Amino acid sequence: MAGAGQRKGKKDDNGIGTAIDFVLSNARLVLGVGGAAMLGIATLAVKRMYDRAISAPSSPTRLSQSGKRSWEEPNWLGSSSRLLTQDMKTNLSRSLQTLPTDPSAADTDFFRPTKPKPSAKRSQVELKKSRLRVSLQEKLFAYYRRKVAIPADEQARAKQAAVDICAELRSFLRAKLPDMPLRDMYLSGSLYDDLQVVTADHIQLIVPLMLEQNLWSCIPGEDTIMNIPGFYLVRRENPEYFPRGSSYWDRCVVGGYLSPKAVADTFEKVVAGSINWPAIGTLLDYVIRPAAPPADLTLEVQYDPERHLFIDFLPSLTLGDIILVAKPHRLAQNDNLWRLSLRPAETARLRALDQCDSGCRCLCLKIFKAVCKSNPALGHLTATQLTNVILHLSQEESDWSQDMLADRFLQALKGLIRYLEAGVLPSALNPKVNLFSELTPEEVDELGYTLYSSLSEPEVLLQT
């Protein structure tokens, strides 16, 4: 058997053995016996390494019962970190047994591309949303510059025209109707508050009435048979002690209540019938004329060849801390009601919030107002309703920086749709007041449909 093993060794390493014998035979001639011995030992070590390397798959390492390596495995192999321990070999064998042996299974399962992890999908969706938000942000700012913002010189000219008209009307009323108890008139509205959009074409001239506090009282609309929060009846009090005629405004009492329509008719006779507006217009270098019906108590002022300003005369009264205006309810049967004026307080709160954090609330509101003004299907939405949508959203979101304009615009759009679906938009300052109460069901449906249709692509709202 030893001879067979030697023959097998010679057969396996025929090439390497011949080379080693040639080297050793020549080394004896050159190096002598001592040098040849040294070279022989080194060569033998190399040959052992080579043998182990090529015979490792067919000759696994054998371990003794004590756990020590067999003498057949050189000690230098134990220091290699690449060698597998017995436990590692067992685990590897078990793992290999689980691999599919059917070629078709290997094609369909083993080599199938791995599906993206849910986190990867989420990151892709978030990246897409981020890009869309940046795109919408750019379009909103571009729309504001192109469509919403009013040039400063146009605003200044319109305000000056309103101031001139106010001064002329004040002088006329003091001269012709000195017994009419009025407080100082003042300008109001979005143009005065720098919230007007598209064109400087509208402003309000508030005409405050002076009422005797002991002769008049306010009754909330929800306490009446009409049950309309946000409106008031102004009742004449103490008629047994102060008979009719004790107050200048008794001439406007209908059924025991001060009628806003009767007050408006009184001013209409003065504004439209008693004042010579063409003459005043010539003096001021304007073209002034009363607006065509149904715009009551409205003057149309042409202060530039292509620019017109509409001035609404709005009678107002204050009883205690309640401010009412003679802006009638849309339903004719409620024309005896005075409207609660919340706009000054709403505007003040909106501007104060923006001043505290340099926010974009007013900017967002102006974009919405321009969209509604340019889109006939959204014409029934008022500035008050849009302002309250922004105020409600301000209670939910604290970050109103300029970079968040697109996010807040979309949130306000979705919030407005939810309010329309519910048919209720509570006032941010007086939750009992439903700001949609004057809209018909058909108008609510049309508004909701138009806004919902644009939800998937809000850029369409900016194309009007």
Side-chain angles (χ1 to χ4, degrees):
M1 293 180 64
Q6 291 175 359
R7 286 194 298 270
K8 184 176 183 300
K10 289 182 179 180
K11 182 179 179 179
D12 291 343
D13 59 357
N14 185 31
I16 190 65
T18 303
I20 291 173
D21 291 340
F22 176 78
V23 171
L24 291 176
S25 63
N26 288 287
R28 285 195 295 269
L29 297 175
V30 178
L31 301 175
V33 179
M38 295 293 292
L39 181 59
I41 295 173
T43 305
L44 180 59
V46 172
K47 183 175 181 297
R48 285 288 183 88
M49 293 171 60
Y50 177 81
D51 290 341
R52 289 296 179 182
I54 63 175
S55 62
S58 59
S59 302
T61 303
R62 291 196 299 270
L63 297 178
S64 64
Q65 293 181 356
S66 61
K68 297 181 180 180
R69 292 185 181 273
S70 170
W71 61 270
E72 293 183 358
E73 183 170 349
N75 290 333
W76 61 268
L77 287 176
S79 62
S80 175
S81 61
R82 296 178 179 270
L83 295 177
L84 297 174
T85 64
Q86 187 66 25
D87 292 337
M88 294 172 66
K89 290 178 181 179
T90 303
N91 294 335
L92 179 59
S93 177
R94 291 175 181 174
S95 300
L96 291 175
Q97 291 175 3
T98 63
L99 292 178
T101 57
D102 185 10
S104 62
D107 292 341
T108 57
D109 295 328
F110 186 70
F111 296 102
R112 179 180 297 170
T114 58
K115 295 182 179 180
K117 296 181 179 179
S119 59
K121 286 186 177 180
R122 285 196 298 268
S123 63
Q124 292 177 1
V125 172
E126 291 174 358
L127 179 60
K128 184 178 180 180
K129 288 183 178 181
S130 177
R131 290 175 178 172
L132 292 176
R133 184 183 67 81
V134 172
S135 175
L136 179 59
Q137 181 100 347
E138 295 173 350
K139 292 179 180 178
L140 288 172
F141 280 111
Y143 180 76
Y144 178 81
R145 293 188 297 267
R146 172 176 55 87
K147 186 77 173 179
V148 180
I150 303 174
D153 61 334
E154 181 180 347
Q155 294 189 60
R157 288 295 309 276
K159 289 180 181 180
Q160 186 59 50
V163 170
D164 293 340
I165 299 298
C166 180
E168 289 295 329
L169 182 61
R170 183 186 297 113
S171 299
F172 177 85
L173 291 177
R174 287 177 178 175
K176 299 297 182 180
L177 300 171
D179 58 336
M180 180 181 287
L182 297 174
R183 302 184 188 275
D184 288 337
M185 292 179 286
Y186 60 92
L187 296 172
S188 181
S190 58
L191 178 61
Y192 185 79
D193 297 324
D194 194 26
L195 290 175
Q196 196 155 116
V197 297
V198 184
T199 57
D201 60 357
H202 187 268
I203 199 168
Q204 292 177 337
L205 179 58
I206 306 298
V207 184
L209 312 184
M210 188 181 297
L211 296 181
E212 299 83 357
Q213 297 293 320
N214 61 327
L215 298 184
W216 307 95
S217 64
C218 293
I219 302 177
E222 58 269 27
D223 294 342
T224 67
I225 192 173
M226 293 170 283
N227 190 24
I228 305 178
F231 289 84
Y232 282 77
L233 287 172
V234 179
R235 184 169 59 191
R236 176 66 158 85
E237 299 290 354
N238 301 320
E240 62 276 13
Y241 301 107
F242 302 93
R244 185 180 179 89
S246 301
S247 172
Y248 178 90
W249 301 110
D250 281 341
R251 66 193 69 189
C252 298
V253 171
V254 177
Y257 298 92
L258 183 63
S259 170
K261 188 176 184 304
V263 173
D265 291 341
T266 300
F267 277 98
E268 184 180 6
K269 294 176 182 178
V270 175
V271 172
S274 302
I275 302 178
N276 188 357
W277 290 115
I280 295 176
T282 302
L283 180 64
L284 298 175
D285 197 19
Y286 302 145
V287 177
I288 306 174
R289 55 181 175 270
D296 298 333
L297 278 177
T298 300
L299 284 180
E300 181 182 358
V301 181
Q302 183 178 353
Y303 61 94
D304 270 349
E306 297 181 355
R307 293 177 179 174
H308 295 255
L309 176 67
F310 292 90
I311 303 177
D312 292 336
F313 290 85
L314 193 59
S316 170
L317 60 88
T318 301
L319 289 173
D321 57 352
I322 300 174
I323 302 175
L324 306 175
V325 292
K327 188 174 182 179
H329 194 280
R330 288 187 66 189
L331 299 179
Q333 63 266 30
N334 299 325
D335 61 357
N336 217 31
L337 292 171
W338 289 76
R339 186 182 299 268
L340 178 64
S341 178
L342 295 174
R343 185 194 172 279
E346 293 167 348
T347 303
R349 173 176 291 189
L350 191 71
R351 297 177 71 89
L353 290 172
D354 264 0
Q355 290 174 0
C356 288
D357 57 9
S358 300
C360 63
R361 298 171 185 83
C362 291
L363 176 60
C364 189
L365 172 62
K366 293 170 78 171
I367 292 175
F368 265 110
K369 289 176 63 176
V371 168
C372 295
K373 188 173 184 178
S374 304
N375 192 332
L378 301 176
H380 291 296
L381 287 174
T382 66
T384 297
Q385 294 164 349
L386 298 174
T387 301
N388 278 268
V389 170
I390 302 296
L391 288 176
H392 283 303
L393 186 57
S394 297
Q395 296 175 357
E396 302 171 4
E397 299 291 344
S398 58
D399 186 1
W400 282 83
S401 60
Q402 301 292 321
D403 294 338
M404 299 299 294
L405 175 61
D407 291 332
R408 299 298 170 259
F409 179 84
L410 289 176
Q411 286 179 296
L413 178 60
K414 294 176 183 178
L416 184 55
I417 293 173
R418 288 196 302 270
Y419 291 128
L420 286 168
E421 289 177 345
V424 177
L425 173 59
S427 168
L429 302 184
N430 189 346
K432 294 185 298 183
V433 178
N434 177 17
L435 299 176
F436 286 160
S437 63
E438 296 178 80
L439 293 175
T440 65
E442 294 76 16
E443 291 169 346
V444 171
D445 290 343
E446 181 181 5
L447 291 170
Y449 174 78
T450 303
L451 293 174
Y452 187 81
S453 300
S454 66
L455 194 57
S456 60
E457 193 177 356
E459 292 86 353
V460 300
L461 295 175
L462 310 179
Q463 297 173 1
T464 55

